[in-house]
Amino acid sequence: NSSLLALKKPYVVPGGRFRESYYWDSYFTALGLIESNQHQLVTSMLDNFVDLQLQFGLIPNGNRSYYLSRSQPPILGLLVELLLPFQKQVKPFLRQYISAIETEYHFWMQGQNELTDINTEHRRVVQMPDGSVLNRYWDDSTAPKSFREDIALYEHSNSNNEADFYRNIRAACESGWDFSSRWLDETQSLASIRTTRIVPVDLNCLLFKHETLLSEYYSLLGDDKKTLEYSSHAKLRKDAINRFMWS
């Protein structure tokens, strides 16, 4: 009768009122655990995320059933990178997790092949004016997140699309920056939220890192085709980031 999604191994919660694990928070927790030589606990947290991905097709915002419509900034490859220096056998360790890292990448890139000059957006991918593809935050649900508060907020907004308004609230939660003025059209008004209209530099840099790690890890595993594939993806993204985001 609980919304909590059971995890097989030990994990750390952010504290305070929270009683569940949160995805991107766990990377910062892992940084401290590595410094404290708690490598096994970090491995357990990594395994829990992979297990959630196997069950639900994504790594949810947190291990609650009501988080299954969104993820958070992709950190699976970063957790593997943190643990890699402590492995006696590097290749078996990478083989254990490489598929999960790649699955997370495909989650963020889902719908890329459906983009056209007319339909330039699909879920978490956006085709830029020159044809390159970058990413945004999203949520598959358009239901109010905090029911009463969100409905009241919508009534004070200038939005004429209720579904888009609630999705923008939820997408901010996928970003982990819930709630920051970076998502607002008017910096003092949460009612002006427009998260899905923004292609964020931090998310795209994380995905550049993701592509780079996949290229490096496939190189270590001797898969030249995959190495070149992800190296090419990383170069295209780096060029697009510099073209559209660098000032």
Side-chain angles (χ1 to χ4, degrees), residues 81 94 209 211-221 227 230:
E81 185 183 41
L94 287 178
K209 175 70 171 180
E211 291 159 338
T212 303
L213 286 176
L214 280 167
S215 181
E216 290 176 4
Y217 293 162
Y218 274 120
S219 178
L220 288 170
L221 294 173
T227 299
Y230 284 105

Coordinates of all heavy atoms in Angstrom, one line a residue, residues 81 94 209 211-221 227 230:
E81 N 32.2 6.0 -13.5 CA 33.5 6.7 -13.5 C 34.2 6.8 -12.1 O 35.4 6.7 -11.9 CB 33.4 8.0 -14.2 CG 34.7 8.8 -14.4 CD 34.5 10.1 -15.0 OE1 33.6 10.8 -14.6 OE2 35.3 10.5 -15.9
L94 N 33.2 -2.9 -16.4 CA 32.5 -2.1 -17.5 C 31.5 -2.9 -18.2 O 30.4 -2.4 -18.6 CB 33.6 -1.6 -18.5 CG 34.5 -0.5 -18.0 CD1 35.5 -0.1 -19.1 CD2 33.7 0.8 -17.6
K209 N 29.3 14.5 -21.8 CA 30.1 13.7 -21.0 C 29.7 12.2 -21.1 O 30.5 11.3 -21.2 CB 30.0 14.1 -19.5 CG 30.7 13.3 -18.5 CD 32.2 13.4 -18.6 CE 32.8 12.6 -17.4 NZ 34.3 12.7 -17.4
E211 N 28.2 10.8 -23.7 CA 28.7 10.3 -25.0 C 30.2 10.0 -25.0 O 30.7 9.0 -25.5 CB 28.4 11.3 -26.1 CG 26.9 11.4 -26.4 CD 26.5 12.7 -27.0 OE1 27.2 13.7 -26.9 OE2 25.4 12.7 -27.6
T212 N 30.9 10.9 -24.3 CA 32.4 10.7 -24.2 C 32.8 9.5 -23.4 O 33.7 8.7 -23.8 CB 33.0 12.0 -23.6 OG1 32.7 13.1 -24.3 CG2 34.5 11.9 -23.5
L213 N 32.1 9.2 -22.3 CA 32.3 8.1 -21.5 C 32.0 6.8 -22.3 O 32.7 5.8 -22.2 CB 31.5 8.1 -20.2 CG 32.0 9.1 -19.1 CD1 31.0 9.1 -17.9 CD2 33.4 8.7 -18.6
L214 N 30.8 6.8 -23.0 CA 30.5 5.6 -23.8 C 31.6 5.3 -24.8 O 31.9 4.1 -25.0 CB 29.1 5.8 -24.4 CG 27.9 5.6 -23.5 CD1 26.6 6.1 -24.2 CD2 27.8 4.1 -23.2
S215 N 32.1 6.3 -25.4 CA 33.2 6.1 -26.4 C 34.4 5.6 -25.8 O 35.0 4.6 -26.3 CB 33.5 7.5 -27.1 OG 34.5 7.3 -28.1
E216 N 34.8 6.1 -24.6 CA 36.0 5.6 -23.9 C 35.8 4.2 -23.4 O 36.7 3.4 -23.5 CB 36.2 6.6 -22.7 CG 36.7 7.9 -23.1 CD 36.9 8.8 -21.8 OE1 36.6 8.3 -20.7 OE2 37.2 10.0 -22.0
Y217 N 34.6 3.9 -22.9 CA 34.4 2.6 -22.3 C 34.3 1.5 -23.4 O 34.8 0.4 -23.2 CB 33.1 2.6 -21.4 CG 33.2 3.4 -20.2 CD1 32.1 3.8 -19.5 CD2 34.5 3.8 -19.7 CE1 32.2 4.6 -18.3 CE2 34.6 4.6 -18.6 CZ 33.4 5.0 -17.9 OH 33.5 5.8 -16.8
Y218 N 33.7 1.8 -24.5 CA 33.6 0.9 -25.6 C 35.0 0.7 -26.2 O 35.4 -0.4 -26.7 CB 32.7 1.3 -26.7 CG 31.2 0.8 -26.4 CD1 30.2 1.7 -26.2 CD2 31.0 -0.5 -26.3 CE1 28.9 1.3 -26.0 CE2 29.7 -1.0 -26.0 CZ 28.7 -0.1 -25.8 OH 27.4 -0.5 -25.6
S219 N 35.9 1.7 -26.2 CA 37.3 1.6 -26.6 C 38.0 0.6 -25.7 O 38.7 -0.3 -26.2 CB 37.9 2.9 -26.6 OG 39.3 2.8 -27.0
L220 N 37.8 0.7 -24.4 CA 38.5 -0.2 -23.5 C 38.0 -1.6 -23.7 O 38.8 -2.6 -23.5 CB 38.2 0.3 -22.0 CG 39.0 1.5 -21.6 CD1 38.4 2.0 -20.2 CD2 40.5 1.2 -21.5
L221 N 36.7 -1.8 -24.1 CA 36.2 -3.1 -24.3 C 36.4 -3.6 -25.7 O 36.0 -4.7 -26.1 CB 34.7 -3.1 -24.1 CG 34.3 -2.8 -22.6 CD1 32.8 -2.6 -22.5 CD2 34.8 -3.9 -21.7
T227 N 32.8 2.8 -30.4 CA 33.7 3.9 -30.0 C 33.6 5.0 -30.9 O 33.4 6.2 -30.5 CB 35.2 3.3 -30.0 OG1 35.3 2.3 -29.1 CG2 36.1 4.5 -29.6
Y230 N 29.9 6.9 -30.7 CA 29.7 7.8 -29.6 C 30.7 9.0 -29.6 O 30.4 10.1 -29.2 CB 29.7 7.1 -28.3 CG 28.4 6.3 -28.1 CD1 28.4 4.9 -28.2 CD2 27.3 7.0 -27.8 CE1 27.2 4.3 -28.1 CE2 26.1 6.3 -27.7 CZ 26.0 5.0 -27.8 OH 24.8 4.3 -27.7

